[in-house]
Amino acid sequence: MSCIETYNLCKSFGPVKAIDDITLRINENELYGIIGPDGAGKTTIFRILATLLVPDQGKAFLNGYDVVDEYKKIRRFVGYMAGRFSLYPDLTVEENIKFYATIFGTSLKNNYHLIRSVYSHLEPFKNRLAANLSGGMKQKLALCCALIHNPEILILDEPTTGVDAVSRREFWELLRELKEKGMTILVSTPYMDEASLCDHVALMQKGTVMINDTPKNIIASFNRRLFALKSSEMHRLIKDVCSFEETHSAYLFGQYVH
């Protein structure tokens, strides 16, 4: 059963078309990834689904509710974690969580069981200001605040960008635990290794979905040879690689070169 559906979503910012004709169906209790480089349109889709942006065209529904006409109902059962750390830096870890719990008419005490697995990493630092946390700890705090009201759907915009490798692995282990508890999770990432951890992925580029399938099927459908090259002069290397007649495309520092 689909709990997130989008139909022909379009959104532009001036002359820039951020997303163009996006249609997705995300099933209940699925860990669904939207994968793509910066500027692909991932954040725009997430802000529309989180009822923070209104699409120019198209429709989107969460649990059957329209993101424009019924946004107040959606906000009660959706947890949203923005790409940038957006909590209060001058509040402590515990104060941030209590603040967000109060907004949803609950408390840290009543819903501690919901965030126990995440908060256990933070609890020794509960009196530390959020501004003084490491990158990985800030992401865990943001996740706690997104979970404190027991959302049915969790939307995470590039939650591990800029986080160290160990924290990235721990974060994805937490996501798998949440999925096993019945939560539907929509996550975006620029990292292809994280895409393989999702049940289903949509690969995006320049505001459009290039392919939408399981990681296993996407890998199986790729019939070209792949090479990984290293050099102390990467820009010179990329020019040399692209000069070969059989080169289809190259990837360097987050950008494709065709």
Side-chain angles (χ1 to χ4, degrees), residues 7 11 21 26 38 54 56 62 83 85 89 92 111 131 135 137 145 150 154 202 226 230 242 249 255-256:
Y7 300 95
K11 182 68 180 180
D21 197 30
I26 299 168
D38 292 345
V54 176
D56 296 334
L62 277 71
F85 184 71
T92 66
N111 282 358
M137 287 298 185
C145 292
N150 194 24
L154 185 61
L226 293 174
K230 286 198 276 188
C242 290
S249 64
Q255 297 201 2
Y256 284 102

Side-chain angles (χ1 to χ4, degrees), residues 169-186:
R169 185 173 63 252
E170 289 178 348
F171 200 94
W172 276 86
E173 288 173 356
L174 292 171
L175 295 189
R176 298 301 299 186
E177 290 177 14
L178 292 170
K179 178 189 176 297
E180 289 171 5
K181 293 177 181 178
M183 192 173 292
T184 301
I185 302 172
L186 176 60

Side-chain angles (χ1 to χ4, degrees), residues 11-247:
K11 182 68 180 180
S12 296
F13 298 96
V16 179
K17 183 165 282 190
I19 56 171
D20 185 16
D21 197 30
I22 300 296
T23 297
L24 299 170
R25 297 189 70 178
I26 299 168
N27 293 326
E28 187 177 348
N29 192 213
E30 188 171 37
L31 177 49
Y32 191 103
I34 295 185
I35 317 301
D38 292 345
K42 306 185 299 295
T43 295
T44 301
I45 293 175
F46 280 34
R47 288 179 177 172
I48 290 173
L49 294 177
T51 73
L52 301 175
L53 277 180
V54 176
D56 296 334
Q57 297 177 41
K59 289 282 188 179
F61 302 90
L62 277 71
N63 284 348
Y65 295 106
D66 187 289
V67 297
V68 176
D69 297 332
E70 300 172 291
Y71 69 93
K72 289 184 179 179
K73 294 179 180 178
I74 289 174
R75 290 179 181 179
R76 303 305 302 178
F77 63 80
V78 168
Y80 174 64
M81 182 175 162
R84 290 186 177 183
F85 184 71
S86 56
L87 303 181
Y88 294 96
D90 54 344
L91 295 182
T92 66
V93 167
E94 189 173 52
E95 287 170 341
N96 266 289
I97 297 173
K98 286 182 175 180
F99 173 76
Y100 280 91
T102 302
I103 289 176
F104 288 98
T106 185
S107 67
L108 174 58
K109 181 179 179 181
N110 290 340
N111 282 358
Y112 180 80
H113 65 285
L114 299 174
I115 64 170
R116 183 186 294 112
S117 60
V118 188
Y119 191 57
S120 61
H121 299 267
L122 286 165
E123 202 157 14
F125 314 102
K126 66 181 181 180
N127 294 319
R128 182 176 295 182
L129 293 179
N132 297 331
L133 295 173
S134 66
M137 287 298 185
K138 284 181 178 178
Q139 297 301 75
K140 290 184 177 72
L141 174 57
L143 182 58
C144 283
C145 292
L147 291 171
I148 194 61
H149 62 297
N150 194 24
E152 299 172 29
I153 299 172
L154 185 61
I155 299 174
L156 308 173
D157 189 4
E158 297 195 1
T160 59
T161 299
V163 176
D164 64 89
V166 174
S167 294
R168 279 178 61 194
R169 185 173 63 252
E170 289 178 348
F171 200 94
W172 276 86
E173 288 173 356
L174 292 171
L175 295 189
R176 298 301 299 186
E177 290 177 14
L178 292 170
K179 178 189 176 297
E180 289 171 5
K181 293 177 181 178
M183 192 173 292
T184 301
I185 302 172
L186 176 60
V187 59
S188 67
T189 176
Y191 302 124
M192 295 305 293
D193 60 321
E194 293 184 349
S196 65
L197 303 175
C198 298
D199 300 320
H200 209 106
V201 297
L203 300 183
M204 289 193 65
Q205 177 79 352
K206 297 181 179 178
T208 62
V209 174
M210 298 185 295
I211 189 169
N212 186 349
D213 209 333
T214 64
K216 182 178 179 180
N217 288 344
I218 291 174
I219 293 170
S221 68
F222 194 84
N223 56 10
R224 294 187 177 93
R225 298 178 69 187
L226 293 174
F227 297 90
L229 305 176
K230 286 198 276 188
S231 172
S232 59
E233 299 180 61
M234 291 301 294
H235 285 88
R236 180 180 175 184
L237 174 64
I238 205 75
K239 289 181 180 180
D240 291 341
V241 169
C242 290
S243 69
F244 284 98
E245 190 174 319
E246 295 185 6
T247 299

